[in-house]
Amino acid sequence: MKITRQKHAKKYISFYKYNFKFRPPFQILIDGTFCQAALKNKIQIKEQMPKYLMGEVQLCTTNCVLKELESLGKELYGAKIILQRFQVRNCAHIKSPVGASQCLLSMIDDNNPHHYFVATQDQDLTASVKRIPGIPLIFIIQNTMVLDKPSPSSTAHVQAVQTGQLVTVQQKQSIQTLKEEQGLVNSTERRGRKRKRKGGPNPLSCLKKKKKIQGPQQQKPAGEKKKRKRHRKRTGGGGLQVETIAQIEKA
């Protein structure tokens, strides 16, 4: 029985690896009901989970799940102690905590981008998880952990992708990169993706300054005196004409 259970787990893990890009370490979201069932059936989650999934795991929970266990009293005190040993992931309800089921559903919303497994015994949460494609579900039956087979929504999603009716997120990204390489992206799409360049010098500031053209007539400063030029009178013979003092007085 143990060998067949391990074979089924290996088959289902390969399904999620190939179709939904799951990789170790596997991240397991655990709620209080799963810890309570493990405590009753004497299951060591930290030791048995990596062996069952055949890979490294990260066991985690949220603050909302811990708050819910605290509010339920002493009956779930043991489950709370077990859950406190795991990693606490940040959720969107830090200021106003919500129910554990609602919080875990919000963690796997938007096509489960962090590739979480969900470990729970809650029937309502199980039904909600099965409606979302690509989410592995773990529960406890007869003192053993069981990885549930892929849900109908997961198999339908994979079939739609294989027949070309649906495009995955990874395929959309690869198509976009190919379009950009081939220059098939529209100008409007390029504008939306345009990145800001690093700041540099303003090209206008690098231009050479124009020299000021001086006018033909420039006003000289007021304090500066004009220099007089001396003119010498020459006679026809080339000698200087000398006037005596007497001639000047008669004139």
Side-chain angles (χ1 to χ4, degrees):
M1 187 70 180
K2 184 178 180 181
I3 296 173
T4 56
R5 185 171 65 91
Q6 198 76 23
K7 284 184 178 180
H8 287 310
K10 186 177 181 180
K11 180 182 177 181
Y12 300 153
I13 290 169
S14 298
F15 172 84
Y16 288 108
K17 280 183 176 180
Y18 180 76
N19 296 295
F20 295 98
K21 309 300 180 185
F22 277 74
R23 295 289 181 272
F26 301 121
Q27 301 186 81
I28 320 294
L29 276 176
I30 303 175
D31 68 350
T33 61
F34 189 85
C35 290
Q36 184 68 11
L39 186 63
K40 286 183 178 181
N41 293 286
K42 298 180 180 180
I43 295 174
Q44 300 293 329
I45 300 174
K46 201 169 185 178
E47 295 176 1
Q48 296 184 24
M49 188 73 77
K51 293 179 182 178
Y52 178 58
L53 297 180
M54 294 164 287
E56 187 181 352
V57 299
Q58 291 181 354
L59 306 175
C60 50
T61 186
T62 64
N63 282 314
C64 295
V65 178
L66 292 171
K67 291 286 184 182
E68 186 178 81
L69 285 177
E70 289 177 0
S71 63
L72 293 174
K74 296 181 180 179
E75 294 181 0
L76 297 175
Y77 180 76
K80 176 190 167 185
I81 295 299
I82 294 171
L83 205 60
Q84 284 177 339
R85 298 173 184 174
F86 305 148
Q87 298 178 14
V88 179
R89 297 295 168 88
N90 294 326
C91 61
H93 320 107
I94 297 174
K95 294 183 179 180
S96 55
V98 297
S101 300
Q102 183 180 349
C103 182
L104 293 183
L105 285 174
S106 68
M107 295 290 288
I108 58 176
D109 199 10
D110 296 332
N111 297 321
N112 195 16
H114 299 288
H115 301 94
Y116 284 121
F117 287 64
V118 176
T120 182
Q121 300 293 110
D122 190 341
Q123 296 297 324
D124 295 334
L125 179 58
T126 299
S128 300
V129 168
K130 286 184 175 181
R131 296 190 193 102
I132 306 171
I135 301 175
L137 188 64
I138 303 173
F139 49 85
I140 294 173
I141 296 178
Q142 297 178 356
N143 304 332
T144 56
M145 288 186 296
V146 177
L147 176 62
D148 195 15
K149 65 180 182 180
S151 63
S153 63
S154 296
T155 54
H157 178 86
V158 172
Q159 289 176 359
V161 171
Q162 291 176 352
T163 56
Q165 298 175 6
L166 190 66
V167 180
T168 62
V169 177
Q170 292 83 5
Q171 289 175 343
K172 286 181 180 179
Q173 292 176 354
S174 61
I175 290 170
Q176 184 66 26
T177 52
L178 287 172
K179 283 183 178 180
E180 290 177 356
E181 289 175 359
Q182 298 296 329
L184 300 176
V185 183
N186 296 331
S187 59
T188 54
E189 294 179 4
R190 287 180 180 175
R191 287 174 187 174
R193 289 177 165 267
K194 191 174 181 181
R195 295 181 181 177
K196 292 183 178 180
R197 297 180 180 177
K198 293 183 179 180
N202 188 354
L204 296 176
S205 63
C206 299
L207 295 175
K208 294 182 179 180
K209 294 183 178 180
K210 294 181 179 180
K211 295 181 179 180
K212 293 182 180 180
I213 301 172
Q214 296 181 355
Q217 295 180 354
Q218 290 186 349
Q219 295 181 355
K220 294 183 179 181
E224 188 177 352
K225 294 182 179 180
K226 293 183 180 180
K227 293 182 179 180
R228 295 181 179 178
K229 294 181 180 181
R230 294 180 180 180
H231 298 281
R232 291 182 179 180
K233 294 180 181 180
R234 297 178 181 266
T235 59
L240 293 175
Q241 185 179 358
V242 181
E243 293 179 353
T244 59
I245 296 171
Q247 288 176 347
I248 294 170
E249 287 177 357
K250 287 180 181 180

